[in-house]
Structures are given as structure tokens and as C-alpha cells.
């Protein structure tokens, strides 16, 4: 699935659920990815897609359970204590999430 959360309309017609990038990604998750049979989802988030993905993780428990890895490309890394930090466990709790499933591990920045 390829998304462009920067687009909220096509040919002048608004796309329902795409009022902003965060809503676009969440609508995509709820309509297509949440009901699909894939047990794990891998995400590549470009630019502001990183913030939209972080918001998805914050608002959708099913995304936290099924997204196995995230790669940010040309994305802004949020400072500690901000939205991304709220959804990622710290290094002392990186092996299990609240639901008991594997969770994300912060691997550091690739320059």
C-alpha cells in the first residue's frame, strides 16, 4: 500500500478521512490495513509521514501490535519527550509492549 497523506482532494473533490495527513494515515489503516490478513506490517515513512505514523501508533492499538518495523526517510526526528517518544518504549522496556507482543526498538540514527 502506498499512501500520500499530503493529498486531501482529487480533481477538486475532497477525499473523506483525508482532512489532514494524520487523518489520512489513520483512515488508510482502519479501511485497508487493519482488516487485512497480514500479521506484520512494515512502514517506510517519508518526510511528514513520520509524524503521521507516530500519530497512528499513538491512536491505534492495532497498529502498535502489527507494525513490526518503521524506516524514516528524510524525516524529522522528534526531540525526546515528544510524540514519537510517547509511543516508543524506552530501552529498559524495549522487548515487550503492554499487550505482551514484541514492540519497537530504537536503533539510532543512520547518517
Amino acid at each position: 500500500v502506498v499512501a500520500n497523506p499530503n493529498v486531501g482532494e482529487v480533481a477538486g473533490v475532497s477525499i473523506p478521512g483525508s482532512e489532514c495527513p494524520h487523518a489520512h494515515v489513520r483512515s488508510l489503516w482502519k479501511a485497508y490495513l487493519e482488516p487485512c490478513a497480514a500479521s506484520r506490517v512494515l512502514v517506510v515513512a517519508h518526510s511528514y509521514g513520520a509524524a503521521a505514523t507516530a500519530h497512528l501508533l499513538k491512536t491505534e492499538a492495532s497498529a502498535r501490535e502489527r507494525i513490526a518495523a518503521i524506516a524514516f526517510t528524510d524525516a524529522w526526528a522528534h526531540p525526546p519527550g515528544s510524540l514519537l517518544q510517547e509511543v516508543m518504549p524506552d530501552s529498559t522496556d524495549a522487548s515487550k509492549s503492554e499487550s505482551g507482543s514484541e514492540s519497537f526498538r530504537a536503533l539510532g540514527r543512520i547518517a
Side-chain angles (χ1 to χ4, degrees):
V1 175
V2 176
N4 184 354
N6 295 316
V7 176
E9 64 179 51
V10 174
V13 178
S14 294
I15 302 169
S18 295
E19 297 78 17
C20 69
H22 297 87
H24 182 97
V25 170
R26 190 171 185 206
S27 294
L28 175 76
W29 180 266
K30 301 290 280 176
Y32 298 100
L33 295 168
E34 190 173 61
C36 82
S39 61
R40 292 188 175 170
V41 176
L42 308 177
V43 174
V44 176
H46 178 74
S47 190
Y48 195 76
T53 300
H55 182 263
L56 176 70
L57 292 170
K58 185 175 181 182
T59 59
E60 295 295 328
S62 64
R64 290 190 299 275
E65 293 170 7
R66 291 179 54 205
I67 294 177
I70 302 172
F72 291 148
T73 63
D74 197 23
W76 182 63
H78 300 275
S82 67
L83 182 62
L84 187 58
Q85 289 293 324
E86 292 174 23
V87 296
M88 294 184 69
D90 64 26
S91 60
T92 61
D93 188 32
S95 62
K96 296 288 179 181
S97 68
E98 291 176 8
S99 67
S101 64
E102 289 185 27
S103 60
F104 303 98
R105 289 190 174 94
L107 299 177
R109 181 183 170 122
I110 299 173

